[in-house]
Amino acid sequence: MISIESLEDYDKDLKRLSKKYRTLERDMEVIGMVLRTHPDANPTFSFRLDGLGIKTCVIKVKKIASQSFKGKGVQSGFRLVYAYFEQEEKIVYIELYHKNEKAKEDRARIKRNFK
């Protein structure tokens, strides 16, 4: 079974966003269950981030359903960036943000933590 870990920066992101979006921690548990069965990129919902200059497979999920946004389905606006290590059967959450707070993922954070 695929294990899921997280960076300290991700944990801070989750804590900060959970204050505003009360269901986010539960929503992320559901995402974890989905990623354990389908960890690789799934077009329209997620895609690989290319052009980082690193070997690690980094994927961005752009459609996340959240109970905090009733009636919006996967159009909640949350974005999750994670690294997928197929050989080790491991996922590492890197970043979580809302698209209204920032436009793109923190590529410096990704490069700082992965090669």
Side-chain angles (χ1 to χ4, degrees):
M1 178 182 228
I2 295 177
S3 66
I4 296 180
E5 300 173 8
S6 61
L7 297 179
E8 188 175 318
D9 288 335
Y10 166 85
D11 295 336
K12 290 177 185 176
D13 295 340
L14 179 61
K15 184 177 181 179
R16 181 181 53 77
L17 288 168
S18 292
K19 290 177 183 176
K20 186 173 182 181
Y21 306 105
R22 299 282 182 202
T23 65
L24 187 57
E25 287 189 39
R26 275 193 315 259
D27 299 332
M28 293 310 298
E29 288 174 15
V30 171
I31 295 211
M33 288 188 286
V34 171
L35 291 179
R36 280 187 173 99
T37 58
H38 304 290
D40 211 344
N42 182 4
T44 72
F45 289 97
S46 64
F47 57 92
R48 288 179 185 236
L49 291 175
D50 296 322
L52 294 169
I54 60 175
K55 293 180 182 177
T56 305
C57 173
V58 178
I59 299 171
K60 180 177 182 178
V61 180
K62 60 181 243 185
K63 294 192 176 183
I64 298 176
S66 175
Q67 293 178 1
S68 292
F69 296 96
K70 290 182 179 162
K72 288 199 170 213
V74 296
Q75 302 299 327
S76 68
F78 289 114
R79 304 292 189 255
L80 171 67
V81 178
Y82 67 93
Y84 173 45
F85 300 92
E86 188 173 4
Q87 298 293 336
E88 293 112 20
E89 293 189 335
K90 178 173 80 170
I91 290 173
V92 179
Y93 291 161
I94 301 170
E95 182 177 18
L96 179 68
Y97 64 94
H98 193 278
K99 69 179 183 180
N100 289 343
E101 293 178 355
K102 60 191 277 188
K104 290 190 85 164
E105 66 280 348
D106 184 348
R107 289 179 173 245
R109 182 189 297 188
I110 297 168
K111 290 178 185 178
R112 186 173 56 245
N113 289 284
F114 300 97
K115 297 180 183 196

